[in-house]
Amino acid sequence: MSSSTSPTVRAIRPSAARERLLTTAARLFYAEGIHTVGVDRVIAEAKVTRATFYRHFPGKEDLVVAYLEMRDHEIRAAAGGIDHVNAPARDKAVLLLHGVGDELCKTGFRGCPFINAAAEYPDPEHPAHQVVTTHRAWFHATLVSLLEEADHPDPYFGAATLVMLRDGAMVAGNLESAEQARLALIRAGKAFLGLGAAPSGA
């Protein structure tokens, strides 16, 4: 009987340990900065052995890439919800901005994880920086698609402008008032898209 159950146990435990390492690293990297947090700290707080860490991640850089890819997947999954919304494309673009605004107001917010990571890994050839580039390209392409659907006269320029608004809101939300940054982002986005200024509480 033990031989029939042990493969399942062996399959689950490494996955659980990897998830714990990744969750711990994500929390620490985002709160304190990637370069500030060492592997020993992640291992200690994840309550795993050093051997377990290196079984899942050959080195810290691999963990950093996995952390950024996890955040990328989370954001893409959340944004995918607008595909099921029965609304005009321009309204869907505004919904994306609302999602960004909600992120600004979360407890513990300290800026965009991708902008933060790019500042720590400025080399465009570094794998961590490439994840940032890939994420931003996806967000821009998503907005281009929505603006094309909305018959915007210049979807690429429009998408670039909305990405820039998003970046500014992320920085302002970290350095200044998150709520004010959220309101400014949504009002500016709606005005740019020709939907009128949002009400003060939008």
Side-chain angles (χ1 to χ4, degrees):
M1 180 176 293
S2 60
S3 62
S4 64
T5 57
S6 58
T8 301
V9 172
R10 285 197 298 270
I12 292 174
R13 284 180 178 170
S15 173
R18 185 182 188 281
E19 182 67 21
R20 197 157 64 250
L21 281 163
L22 194 50
T23 300
T24 301
R27 172 174 55 81
L28 294 174
F29 288 164
Y30 184 68
E32 301 179 24
I34 296 171
H35 290 326
T36 302
V37 178
V39 166
D40 289 343
R41 174 93 178 276
V42 175
I43 289 172
E45 297 208 17
K47 295 182 171 56
V48 301
T49 65
R50 181 173 289 274
T52 297
F53 174 86
Y54 286 109
R55 186 163 65 247
H56 293 289
F57 301 101
K60 181 182 175 180
E61 301 304 288
D62 301 277
L63 178 62
V64 172
V65 169
Y67 150 63
L68 292 171
E69 289 177 338
M70 180 183 73
R71 294 304 305 267
D72 175 54
H73 294 159
E74 290 172 347
I75 293 170
R76 292 191 192 216
I82 68 168
D83 291 336
H84 307 293
V85 174
N86 184 19
R90 287 182 189 236
D91 290 338
K92 290 183 179 181
V94 173
L95 284 177
L96 283 180
L97 297 182
H98 271 283
V100 173
D102 291 342
E103 187 71 20
L104 302 180
C105 296
K106 285 184 178 178
T107 301
F109 177 77
R110 62 172 305 272
C112 170
F114 299 100
I115 294 176
N116 294 348
E120 296 198 63
Y121 294 94
D123 180 2
E125 299 302 317
H126 192 283
H129 194 104
Q130 290 179 354
V131 178
V132 174
T133 300
T134 298
H135 174 77
R136 291 177 64 80
W138 160 79
F139 187 59
H140 181 266
T142 299
L143 289 169
V144 168
S145 178
L146 287 172
L147 295 184
E148 286 178 337
E149 184 182 343
D151 294 324
H152 190 280
D154 193 342
Y156 287 88
F157 168 75
T161 301
L162 292 177
V163 170
M164 187 171 61
L165 285 174
R166 176 257 185 208
D167 289 347
M170 282 284 184
V171 174
N174 183 33
L175 299 178
E176 302 169 8
S177 164
E179 179 60 19
Q180 288 302 312
R182 182 185 75 83
L183 291 174
L185 169 66
I186 295 169
R187 295 188 70 176
K190 292 188 75 170
F192 176 75
L193 292 168
L195 297 174
S200 59

